[in-house]
Amino acid sequence: MGDDGGRRVVLVAQRASGSGRFRLDDLPSTSGRLDVHLRCLRAAFLLSHGLRRDVTVELVLLGDREAPRVVRLVGASLRFLRPDERAMAVLMQKILTAEVGSEGWHEVRPGCFVSRGGTATLEADWHPENLLWLDETGEDLRAASLAPGPVTLVLGDHHGLDDATRAILEGRGAKKVSIGPLSVHADDALAVAFNELDRRASAR
Ligand SMILES: C[S@@+](CC[C@H](N)C(=O)[O-])C[C@H]1O[C@@H](n2cnc3c(N)ncnc32)[C@H](O)[C@@H]1O
């Protein structure tokens, strides 16, 4: 059935800035399209009036000299997240420009962590069950059978997934699932996938 124990979302941003050096008034062209990922944060965390506390999102930033870096946002301890892109971009800039040591995870604000490394730094925590690779060519998520327990969803950006992440997903036997026949924006794919998981959870 899936989804007891929370949802984890991994977004691989092939061109997005790991340095925080981008312009808030021109985010798409100066951040490597971090705007796409900020919209994914909104889709993953925000309800009409509230924040999904059982969600963790990891943004894998592969795009510039500071890359690879991962920003992890943990719903259980995030203080709040504003829905507008500019406010989220400011938060990302604060996280990415915080003074941190080189090794391990650093909590730079409540529920906001940053670490060096790419997807490989995350895979040890992935549950082999319900490791879902969101891909247009996968089996229909509506028909997919999921085990009880947490769900991890891995998505690409407008360039898809990088080869290293693909190899990790293949090695771990991730299930490729599709939310429909057309290739849609990552935030829309996430919203549809979450809706399917919400429906399953409420049907129990
Ligand atoms: C804009 S799409 C990427 C398109 C890119 N050209 C590619 O080849 O992957 C961004 C991400 O959204 C997810 N996605 C988009 N449409 C989807 C669908 N119909 N089913 C499942 N995931 C989808 C995938 O994870 C994809 O990497």
Side-chain angles (χ1 to χ4, degrees):
M1 212 99 38
D3 210 24
D4 307 303
R7 296 178 198 170
R8 180 171 186 165
V9 176
V10 180
L11 299 163
V12 181
Q14 296 214 53
R15 305 283 156 86
S17 165
S19 67
R21 280 186 227 103
F22 48 77
R23 282 180 33 207
L24 294 171
D25 61 357
D26 189 8
L27 193 60
S29 40
T30 61
S31 69
R33 295 305 313 269
L34 200 59
D35 57 309
V36 171
H37 301 278
L38 299 180
R39 287 194 287 277
C40 289
L41 289 184
R42 192 194 58 73
F45 279 118
L46 296 179
L47 298 166
S48 175
H49 296 288
L51 200 149
R52 294 180 189 263
R53 294 285 172 193
D54 63 343
V55 171
T56 294
V57 175
E58 286 154 336
L59 294 178
V60 180
L61 307 169
L62 301 177
D64 62 14
R65 261 184 303 159
E66 297 293 322
R69 291 183 97 187
V70 183
V71 169
R72 174 184 284 163
L73 301 182
V74 180
S77 49
L78 269 181
R79 217 168 264 152
F80 56 80
L81 189 68
R82 286 179 43 190
D84 65 288
E85 248 171 68
R86 188 182 172 91
M88 286 194 273
V90 169
L91 175 64
M92 283 296 289
Q93 208 160 44
K94 287 182 175 157
I95 296 169
L96 291 169
T97 56
E99 294 282 326
V100 292
S102 54
E103 294 299 313
W105 288 96
H106 303 275
E107 186 168 17
V108 296
R109 317 199 121 216
C112 304
F113 300 78
V114 64
S115 168
R116 300 240 159 252
T119 313
T121 59
L122 305 174
E123 63 164 323
D125 299 339
W126 287 353
H127 297 270
E129 284 165 347
N130 302 336
L131 176 56
L132 304 181
W133 172 351
L134 280 168
D135 187 275
E136 297 82 329
T137 65
E139 74 171 291
D140 188 342
L141 175 60
R142 284 193 184 167
S145 97
L146 302 181
V151 177
T152 299
L153 303 107
V154 184
L155 294 92
D157 63 2
H158 52 299
H159 295 288
L161 283 178
D162 61 307
D163 291 343
T165 304
R166 285 173 178 277
I168 291 169
L169 290 171
E170 274 157 15
R172 294 200 155 243
K175 193 193 284 265
K176 261 193 196 178
V177 292
S178 158
I179 51 87
L182 303 180
S183 178
V184 298
H185 290 283
D187 53 323
D188 293 331
L190 198 50
V192 174
F194 266 39
N195 178 260
E196 173 61 22
L197 297 175
D198 290 342
R199 284 168 172 268
R200 289 182 185 222
S202 74
R204 282 203 294 272

